[in-house]
C-alpha cells in the first residue's frame, strides 16, 4: 500500500515533472498527477495546480486513484486554489477523513448533505468560496467536529439550533454570510468553545445567556449585525479567559460592564458605549488593541487612558470627543497606531506625543486642533504616516518632522493655516510617496522638492507660493498627481516623464489654474498603502461597476452621513439585491424558470464591485479572480 506524502495537480508541460509520473498518473491532455515520497509516513493527500479546472473533472480520477492505492490512509485532504464547480457528493465516502480544507476556491452550490458520511471529521474549512443555501441538518451528525469555518460565502438560513448537538465544537467562524436569524440558545452546549465569529451575518435579537456560560471562550466576534439587549453584569467573571471581544456596529446597550476589568487577558476590545468604560479597564493589563469607531461616544477623553500602557493600537475614530487630547497619551510608549480622527478635539497637540517612540501611524485629521505642530514628533523615529488635515493648526511646519527618514508613506497637512516657507529639510524625505500641503498659507518658492524621486502625489494647491515654476520639478519621475493651482506662480510647467503628469505642459501666467486632474470620488484613500500603483485601478473599477449596475454615481447626493455607494450595494446583497439593479443594466428575456439564475448573476456582479471597492488593498478582490468570475457569469447568462 502506497504511503502518500503529496499529490500535486499541475500542467503537463512543467519542466520539473517526470515522464514516468506523467505516464502513471495521466489525467488528460493538459493535466497530470505526480507523486512524491520522501520515506516519511504520512496520511495526508494534497492537490494543487496552476490554473482553474472543474472539480468534477478532477475528483473522479483522484477518487479512483485513492481507492486503488488505499483510501483508508486518507486523513487530511487539502485543495489548493482555485477549483471551480460544486463540492461533489463523493467526498462523503471518505469515512476516515479528519480534516477537509477547501477554502479560498471558487466552489458554488451547496454544502453536500452526505458530508455526514465523514464520521471522523474534526475540522472543516470551506470559507472564501461562493457556497449558497443553508447549513444542512446532517452536519449535526459529525460528533467529533471541533472546527467549522464557513465564512465569506453566501449561506443563508441562520445559524441552525441543531449545531448545538455537536458538543465537541471548539471553533466556529461564519463571518460575512447573509445568514440572518438569531444566535441560538443551543450553542450553549458547546462547553469546549474557544472562538466564535459571526460578524456581518445579518443577525438579529439578543445574545443568549447560555453563551456567557462558556467559560473557555477566548475570542467572541459578532460585529456589524443587528444585535439588541445588553451584556450580563458579571461578564468579566463568567468569561475569565476572554482575549478578543468585538461587538461594535450593533444596537446593544450596557456593553461595557465594570466586571470587564476582571478579563485580565483581554487583548482586543471593539465595542460601543459611553466614555466611562476607560476606568473599568484598569485591570486589563494585557489589553493591546482598543478600537471604538463610530460609536457616538460623547465627552472628554479621560486621562486614565494613559493607564493602558500595553496598548499598541488605539483607534477612537468618528465619535464626538471634545476638549483636549489628554497629555497622558504620552505614557502609552508601546503605541504603534493612533487614530483619533473624526472627532471634535480642540486645543494644542501635546508635546508628550513625542514620547511615543514606536509610533508608525498618526491620524488626528478632522478635528479642531489648534496652535503648532509639536516639534517633538521628530522623536518618533518609526513614524511613516501622518495625517493632520482639516484642523486649525498654525505657524511653520517643524523641520524636525521633515528630518524623519522613516516618513515614507504619507504626510497630509491639508486645510490648516500653516504659514512660512516650506523648510528645506523636505528634500531629506527621500522615500516619501504622498505629500499634501494644499489650502494653507505657505509662502515663497517651491523649488525644494528635488530629490524626492518616489513621490507620486504632490498637492500644493491653494497657498501663496510665488515666482517661476522651477524646472527641477521634472526630476520627480514617479509623480502621478501634481497640483499647483490657485497660487501666484508663473512660467512654463516642466514636462514629466510618465503617468498622468504628462498632461502638464502648457505655459501658465500668474492668474491661471493648471494641474493634473485626478478624478475625485474614484481614487482610493492613498494613505492606506505604501505606493501609488495598479491597486488604484481595481478600486476604481469596483466603483464603475457598481455605478453601471445601480445607475447611481458614487458622488450622488443620496450618499451622505455614513451611507456610500459601497455600503448601499453591500446592504442590498443581504436580501434585496434585485431592488438596486438598474432596469437597463442588463437586457434578458427573463422567464419564471430562469429568474433565479439571473438574480444570482446580478448579485455576483454586485459582489465583485463591492469586493473591489474597499479601502484596504489586501482586502480587494484580485484582478485574476475578477476576470474569472465575470467570465463565469457571462457563460451562465449566455446559456439562459
Amino acid at each position: 500500500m502506497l504511503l502518500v506524502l503529496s499529490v500535486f495537480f499541475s500542467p503537463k508541460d512543467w519542466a520539473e515533472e517526470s515522464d514516468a509520473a506523467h505516464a502513471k498518473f495521466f489525467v488528460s491532455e493538459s493535466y497530470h498527477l505526480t507523486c512524491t515520497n520522501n520515506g516519511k509516513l504520512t496520511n495526508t493527500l494534497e492537490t494543487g495546480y496552476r490554473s482553474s479546472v472543474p472539480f468534477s473533472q478532477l475528483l473522479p480520477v483522484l477518487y479512483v486513484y485513492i481507492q486503488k492505492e488505499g483510501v483508508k490512509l486518507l486523513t487530511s485532504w487539502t485543495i489548493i486554489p482555485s477549483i471551480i464547480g460544486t463540492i461533489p457528493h463523493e467526498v462523503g465516502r471518505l469515512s476516515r477523513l479528519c480534516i477537509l480544507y477547501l477554502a479560498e476556491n471558487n466552489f458554488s452550490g451547496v454544502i453536500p448533505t452526505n458530508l455526514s458520511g465523514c464520521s471522523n471529521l474534526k475540522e472543516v474549512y470551506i470559507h472564501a468560496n461562493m457556497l449558497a443555501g443553508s447549513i444542512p441538518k446532517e452536519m449535526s451528525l459529525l460528533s467529533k467536529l471541533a472546527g467549522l469555518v464557513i465564512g465569506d460565502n453566501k449561506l443563508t438560513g441562520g445559524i441552525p439550533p441543531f449545531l448545538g448537538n455537536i458538543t465537541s465544537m471548539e471553533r466556529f467562524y461564519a463571518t460575512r454570510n447573509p445568514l440572518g436569524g438569531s444566535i441560538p440558545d443551543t450553542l450553549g452546549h458547546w462547553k469546549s468553545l474557544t472562538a466564535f465569529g459571526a460578524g456581518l451575518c445579518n443577525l438579529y435579537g439578543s445574545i443568549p445567556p447560555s453563551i456567557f456560560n462558556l467559560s473557555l471562550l477566548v475570542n467572541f466576534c459578532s460585529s456589524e449585525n443587528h444585535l439588541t439587549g445588553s451584556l450580563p453584569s458579571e461578564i468579566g467573571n463568567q468569561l475569565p479567559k476572554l482575549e478578543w471581544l468585538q461587538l461594535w456596529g450593533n444596537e446593544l446597550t450596557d456593553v461595557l460592564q465594570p466586571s470587564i476589568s476582571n478579563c485580565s487577558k483581554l487583548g482586543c476590545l471593539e465595542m460601543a458605549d459611553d466614555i466611562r468604560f476607560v476606568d473599568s479597564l484598569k485591570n486589563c493589563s494585557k489589553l493591546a488593541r482598543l478600537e471604538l469607531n463610530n460609536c457616538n461616544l460623547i465627552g472628554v477623553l479621560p486621562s486614565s487612558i494613559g493607564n493602558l500602557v500595553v496598548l499598541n493600537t488605539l483607534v477612537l475614530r468618528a465619535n464626538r470627543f471634545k476638549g483636549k487630547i489628554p497629555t497622558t497619551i504620552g505614557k502609552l510608549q508601546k503605541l504603534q497606531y493612533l487614530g483619533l480622527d473624526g472627532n471634535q478635539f480642540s486645543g494644542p497637540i501635546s508635546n508628550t506625543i513625542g514620547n511615543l517612540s514606536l509610533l508608525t501611524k498618526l491620524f488626528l485629521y478632522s478635528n479642531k486642533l489648534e496652535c503648532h505642530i509639536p516639534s517633538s514628533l521628530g522623536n518618533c523615529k518609526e513614524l511613516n504616516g501622518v495625517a493632520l488635515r482639516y484642523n486649525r493648526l498654525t505657524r511653520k511646519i517643524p523641520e524636525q518632522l521633515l528630518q524623519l527618514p522613516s516618513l515614507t508613506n504619507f504626510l497630509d497637512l491639508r486645510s490648516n493655516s500653516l504659514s512660512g516657507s516650506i523648510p528645506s529639510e523636505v528634500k531629506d524625505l527621500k522615500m516619501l510617496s504622498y505629500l499634501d500641503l494644499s489650502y494653507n498659507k505657505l509662502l515663497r518658492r517651491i523649488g525644494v522638492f528635488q530629490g524626492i524621486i518616489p513621490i507620486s502625489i504632490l498637492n500644493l494647491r491653494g497657498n501663496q507660493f510665488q515666482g517661476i515654476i522651477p524646472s527641477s520639478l521634472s526630476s520627480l519621475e514617479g509623480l502621478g498627481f501634481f497640483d499647483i493651482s490657485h497660487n501666484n506662480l508663473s512660467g512654463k510647467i516642466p514636462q514629466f516623464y510618465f503617468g498622468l503628469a504628462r498632461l502638464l505642459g502648457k505655459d501658465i501666467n500668474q492668474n491661471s489654474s493648471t494641474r493634473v486632474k485626478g478624478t475625485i470620488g474614484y481614487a482610493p484613500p492613498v494613505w492606506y498603502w505604501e505606493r501609488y500603483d495598479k491597486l488604484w485601478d481595481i478600486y476604481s473599477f469596483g466603483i464603475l461597476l457598481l455605478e453601471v449596475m445601480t445607475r447611481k454615481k458614487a458622488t450622488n447626493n443620496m450618499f451622505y452621513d455614513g451611507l456610500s455607494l459601497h455600503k448601499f450595494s453591500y446592504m442590498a446583497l443581504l436580501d434585496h439585491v434585485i431592488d438596486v439593479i438598474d432596469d437597463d443594466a442588463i437586457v434578458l428575456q427573463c422567464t419564471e424558470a430562469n429568474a433565479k439564475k439571473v438574480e444570482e448573476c446580478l448579485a455576483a456582479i454586485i459582489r465583485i464591485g463591492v469586493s473591489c471597492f474597499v479601502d484596504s488593498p489586501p482586502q480587494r478582490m484580485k484582478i485574476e479572480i475578477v476576470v474569472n468570475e465575470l467570465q463565469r457569469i457571462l457563460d451562465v447568462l449566455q446559456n439562459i
Side-chain angles (χ1 to χ4, degrees):
M1 187 175 290
L2 178 66
L3 301 179
V4 179
L5 175 65
S6 58
V7 176
F8 292 95
F9 191 62
S10 57
K12 70 172 184 179
D13 55 351
W14 274 46
E16 63 266 29
E17 72 185 28
S18 69
D19 293 337
H22 178 261
K24 183 175 181 180
F25 302 116
F26 183 73
V27 176
S28 69
E29 285 191 3
S30 301
Y31 297 93
H32 77 280
L33 296 172
T34 60
C35 176
T36 61
N37 187 346
N38 65 358
K40 293 183 179 179
L41 177 62
T42 178
N43 292 341
T44 298
L45 176 66
E46 181 174 307
T47 60
Y49 51 91
R50 301 303 189 272
S51 62
S52 295
V53 61
F55 193 65
S56 59
Q57 295 177 18
L58 170 61
L59 184 84
V61 178
L62 282 179
Y63 186 72
V64 170
Y65 168 73
I66 295 165
Q67 283 279 67
K68 180 180 178 182
E69 302 296 347
V71 67
K72 293 183 179 180
L73 278 178
L74 188 61
T75 59
S76 176
W77 194 359
T78 299
I79 302 296
I80 301 176
S82 156
I83 292 177
I84 59 177
T86 60
I87 301 174
H89 289 278
E90 288 85 349
V91 173
R93 301 179 190 172
L94 303 175
S95 60
R96 296 203 177 188
L97 194 66
C98 294
I99 301 172
L100 178 63
Y101 193 101
L102 306 179
E104 300 179 50
N105 281 284
N106 288 304
F107 285 116
S108 55
V110 299
I111 301 172
T113 56
N114 73 341
L115 196 61
S116 58
C118 305
S119 56
N120 284 293
L121 268 179
K122 295 182 178 179
E123 299 178 31
V124 173
Y125 301 90
I126 52 176
H127 56 281
N129 283 288
M130 295 180 289
L131 298 171
S134 59
I135 301 171
K137 188 174 183 179
E138 291 76 4
M139 292 284 288
S140 64
L141 300 176
L142 298 174
S143 60
K144 297 181 181 180
L145 195 64
L148 179 58
V149 184
I150 57 176
D152 291 288
N153 280 291
K154 300 185 290 184
L155 298 172
T156 55
I159 301 174
F162 58 72
L163 285 182
N165 295 334
I166 310 175
T167 56
S168 55
M169 190 70 73
E170 297 177 9
R171 299 172 304 282
F172 176 80
Y173 289 102
T175 306
R176 288 182 291 276
N177 276 293
L179 286 168
S182 60
I183 301 175
D185 182 69
T186 55
L187 300 193
H189 297 156
W190 290 350
K191 300 301 182 182
S192 299
L193 191 70
T194 60
F196 179 88
L200 283 166
C201 286
N202 199 29
L203 298 176
Y204 290 84
S206 60
I207 303 173
S210 61
I211 295 293
F212 301 103
N213 292 326
L214 303 176
S215 59
L216 298 182
L217 199 59
V218 175
N219 297 339
F220 187 84
C221 308
S222 191
S223 56
E224 294 188 271
N225 284 298
H226 309 282
L227 298 174
T228 55
S230 60
L231 301 189
S233 59
E234 294 300 311
I235 181 175
N237 299 322
Q238 292 172 288
L239 303 177
K241 296 183 180 294
L242 199 62
E243 296 180 9
W244 193 289
L245 181 60
Q246 286 181 309
L247 287 172
W248 64 277
N250 285 288
E251 300 163 30
L252 295 163
T253 58
D254 298 326
V255 292
L256 284 165
Q257 302 287 355
S259 68
I260 199 75
S261 63
N262 294 327
C263 298
S264 58
K265 296 182 179 181
L266 195 62
C268 176
L269 179 65
E270 298 183 14
M271 306 282 278
D273 205 357
D274 66 64
I275 57 177
R276 291 173 295 178
F277 75 90
V278 174
D279 292 327
S280 69
L281 299 176
K282 58 185 177 181
N283 292 334
C284 299
S285 58
K286 295 186 179 181
L287 186 63
R289 180 181 179 130
L290 178 59
E291 292 193 26
L292 299 167
N293 299 326
N294 197 22
C295 295
N296 200 33
L297 296 173
I298 302 173
V300 177
L301 184 62
S303 59
S304 57
I305 193 72
N307 296 332
L308 306 178
V309 293
V310 183
L311 281 182
N312 59 48
T313 301
L314 175 61
V315 185
L316 304 175
R317 180 170 290 137
N319 287 289
R320 296 166 64 185
F321 287 111
K322 60 184 180 180
K324 296 181 179 180
I325 298 174
T327 58
T328 52
I329 285 282
K331 294 182 178 179
L332 307 179
Q333 296 189 20
K334 294 187 178 181
L335 205 62
Q336 299 175 29
Y337 189 109
L338 177 60
L340 303 179
D341 45 285
N343 284 285
Q344 300 171 25
F345 286 113
S346 58
I349 302 173
S350 172
N351 283 327
T352 61
I353 204 166
N355 296 337
L356 307 180
S357 58
L358 300 180
L359 195 66
T360 61
K361 293 286 193 304
L362 176 63
F363 295 94
L364 299 180
Y365 63 86
S366 297
N367 280 290
K368 299 178 181 179
L369 297 169
E370 302 166 336
C371 299
H372 63 286
I373 299 172
S375 59
S376 61
L377 279 175
N379 298 328
C380 302
K381 302 300 184 182
E382 303 296 324
L383 199 60
N384 61 53
V386 177
L388 303 178
R389 66 184 183 279
Y390 299 120
N391 278 291
R392 301 171 181 175
L393 299 170
T394 58
R395 305 186 192 177
K396 294 183 177 181
I397 301 172
E399 59 188 42
Q400 292 88 346
L401 176 61
L402 303 179
Q403 290 174 326
L404 284 174
S406 61
L407 198 56
T408 58
N409 200 334
F410 57 88
L411 177 58
D412 188 350
L413 305 180
R414 174 188 175 99
S415 297
N416 281 285
S417 295
L418 299 170
S419 58
S421 58
I422 299 174
S424 59
E425 285 78 8
V426 73
K427 67 180 184 298
D428 295 332
L429 298 175
K430 300 293 186 183
M431 300 302 293
L432 187 65
S433 295
Y434 177 104
L435 179 61
D436 193 339
L437 302 177
S438 59
Y439 296 106
N440 279 286
K441 298 178 181 179
L442 299 171
L443 301 167
R444 303 188 184 128
R445 302 179 184 275
I446 61 172
V448 292
F449 296 102
Q450 61 269 28
I452 315 179
I453 303 300
I455 197 165
S456 57
I457 292 181
L458 179 58
N459 192 353
L460 304 177
R461 177 185 173 95
N463 280 284
Q464 299 172 22
F465 294 119
Q466 302 175 16
I468 298 174
I469 301 172
S471 60
S472 59
L473 289 176
S474 62
S475 66
L476 305 180
E477 298 178 353
L479 204 58
F481 180 100
F482 180 53
D483 190 347
I484 52 174
S485 61
H486 296 281
N487 281 289
N488 296 313
L489 297 165
S490 61
K492 186 176 181 180
I493 298 176
Q495 288 291 329
F496 297 89
Y497 298 118
F498 58 89
L500 294 175
R502 291 191 69 86
L503 296 174
L504 291 172
K506 63 180 182 180
D507 291 335
I508 62 172
N509 57 34
Q510 189 172 1
N511 299 313
S512 69
S513 173
T514 301
R515 60 182 173 136
V516 177
K517 295 182 179 179
T519 311
I520 302 300
Y522 294 85
V526 205
W527 47 86
Y528 278 101
W529 59 74
E530 299 292 332
R531 219 168 242 332
Y532 177 89
D533 60 22
K534 64 182 180 182
L535 292 173
W536 283 48
D537 297 332
I538 298 175
Y539 182 94
S540 301
F541 173 78
I543 299 176
L544 291 172
L545 187 60
L546 294 179
E547 287 186 341
V548 168
M549 296 302 293
T550 64
R551 193 174 277 190
K552 288 179 173 58
K553 301 285 287 183
T555 53
N556 192 300
N557 289 335
M558 71 175 285
F559 299 129
Y560 70 97
D561 195 24
L563 181 65
S564 63
L565 176 61
H566 181 272
K567 190 169 185 178
F568 173 78
S569 304
Y570 174 79
M571 291 189 298
L573 283 173
L574 298 178
D575 55 9
H576 61 279
V577 68
I578 201 70
D579 296 336
V580 304
I581 301 292
D582 178 61
D583 292 338
D584 298 326
I586 189 164
V587 180
L588 287 171
Q589 295 298 320
C590 188
T591 64
E592 184 176 351
N594 63 30
K596 183 171 179 59
K597 283 187 177 180
V598 172
E599 183 173 349
E600 288 176 352
C601 288
L602 296 176
I605 295 172
I606 293 292
R607 187 173 290 104
I608 292 171
V610 167
S611 298
C612 294
F613 179 17
V614 291
D615 288 346
S616 177
Q619 295 181 2
R620 288 183 203 140
M621 183 177 283
K622 294 179 180 179
I623 194 62
E624 297 86 356
I625 297 178
V626 171
V627 173
N628 289 339
E629 268 295 278
L630 290 175
Q631 183 60 56
R632 182 188 67 81
I633 294 168
L634 180 61
D635 292 341
V636 173
L637 293 175
Q638 287 177 336
N639 291 322
I640 289 179

